[in-house]
Amino acid sequence: MELPPALVEALRRVRSVGAITGAGVSRESGIPTYRGEGGIYDDPEEGDRTVDALSGHTLSRDPDRTWRAVGDLARRASGARPNAAHEALAEIERKAERFVLLTQNVDGLHQAAGSRNVIDIHGSITATRCMVCGLDGELEREALVAIERAPRCDACGGVLRPGAVLFGEMLPVDKVERLQEEFYERMPDLVLVAGTSALFPYIAEPAVVAARAGRLTVEVNPERTLLSGVVGHFLEGPAGDYLPLLAGSFQ
Ligand code: ZN
């Protein structure tokens, strides 16, 4: 497996990088994807139940049910370690003058691999927020995998909500603003998309806009997506194979 020579040449001029990742990157760590073949939501019945339990609507009526579904996701992810793709992105961050990582993943594996400037646009599976006083907190993974009821706030006793964005909920305003600033106002030299079918507009658009503006754009995915015809370089294969090559070519 090799990178196209034109891409290797273009990488020499790159100083700033914006990376965008999704479930495909974590799948190589053994975390099931949500959609797509074999995904959690692929099973029509179980998928619908899971989506329903992980919705803002259910949270407001039956937070215990939402938390049990979060605990189920955490169990599926327990023991997962960062893989070569996570490590490669952390390496690119160390080498680049400026780096930002926009991820849809809530598993914290990018941060565990050493990525620092991360916009986890869908939040984190271990984060909590009090629905009464707004206090932010973290749950231990061991507590999360065994959870049966909605946890309570240490400060006020109110019910805590998951820190992840649930189905039917808006994206967090502060993270959307960071995305705008990092990908649009200070457009990176390279926009690199890996392991996501990029169905959400806010995931696909930074790459589309960068490609139109003449920036270097690269997509790494096992299958073609709607982005593949738009980016400058489509690399067909797993992120764990291609991202280390990209990191190695990066000066
Ligand atoms: Zn509280």
Side-chain angles (χ1 to χ4, degrees):
M1 201 168 274
E2 279 184 17
L3 298 179
L7 174 56
V8 174
E9 177 64 30
L11 284 171
R12 290 193 187 139
R13 294 186 294 274
V14 168
R15 296 287 170 268
S16 54
V17 180
I20 301 172
T21 66
V25 167
S26 290
R27 183 172 49 218
E28 293 164 39
S29 287
I31 296 178
T33 53
Y34 302 132
R35 296 188 178 77
E37 202 175 327
I40 294 170
Y41 308 144
D42 199 33
D43 175 337
E45 262 181 45
E46 195 202 342
D48 284 352
R49 272 201 306 274
T50 305
V51 169
D52 188 53
L54 291 172
S55 68
H57 176 70
T58 297
L59 176 70
S60 63
R61 286 180 306 123
D62 188 357
D64 293 345
R65 183 167 169 233
T66 299
W67 274 105
R68 284 193 295 272
V70 172
D72 190 42
L73 288 185
R75 269 191 298 283
R76 292 171 191 261
S78 64
R81 306 287 313 145
N83 62 51
H86 298 105
E87 308 282 357
L89 287 166
E91 181 184 342
I92 293 173
E93 180 166 11
R94 288 193 295 272
K95 291 177 169 177
E97 283 177 16
R98 185 165 74 85
F99 179 92
V100 61
L101 173 56
L102 170 65
T103 186
Q104 297 164 270
N105 300 338
V106 297
D107 51 43
L109 291 179
H110 283 301
Q111 293 89 336
S115 289
R116 290 172 177 275
N117 193 22
V118 180
I119 305 173
D120 52 353
I121 194 82
H122 292 166
S124 156
I125 198 168
T126 55
T128 63
R129 174 166 287 178
C130 177
M131 297 209 282
V132 178
C133 75
L135 186 72
D136 287 321
E138 283 284 321
L139 278 184
E140 298 289 332
R141 276 182 192 272
E142 300 79 64
L144 191 55
V145 296
I147 205 153
E148 287 293 332
R149 330 198 90 222
R152 297 280 177 158
C153 177
D154 286 340
C156 77
V159 172
L160 300 182
R161 59 153 295 150
V165 177
L166 300 175
F167 290 97
E169 290 188 322
M170 309 261 291
L171 296 172
V173 173
D174 56 333
K175 289 177 185 174
V176 171
E177 283 173 356
R178 276 181 68 202
L179 188 171
Q180 290 285 340
E181 187 193 327
E182 297 268 19
F183 281 90
Y184 294 94
E185 289 162 34
R186 308 169 68 202
M187 191 178 285
D189 300 333
L190 163 65
V191 173
L192 167 62
V193 181
T196 173
S197 42
L199 293 174
F200 296 115
Y202 51 89
I203 293 300
E205 267 173 21
V208 173
V209 171
R212 288 202 186 122
R215 297 297 204 278
L216 182 61
T217 48
V218 177
E219 180 195 11
V220 180
N221 263 321
E223 291 139 24
R224 289 186 74 84
T225 70
L226 291 172
L227 263 185
S228 308
V230 178
V231 293
H233 299 269
F234 171 61
L235 306 175
E236 188 170 349
D241 288 349
Y242 273 116
L243 292 186
L245 287 180
L246 286 163
S249 303
F250 203 83
Q251 304 296 314

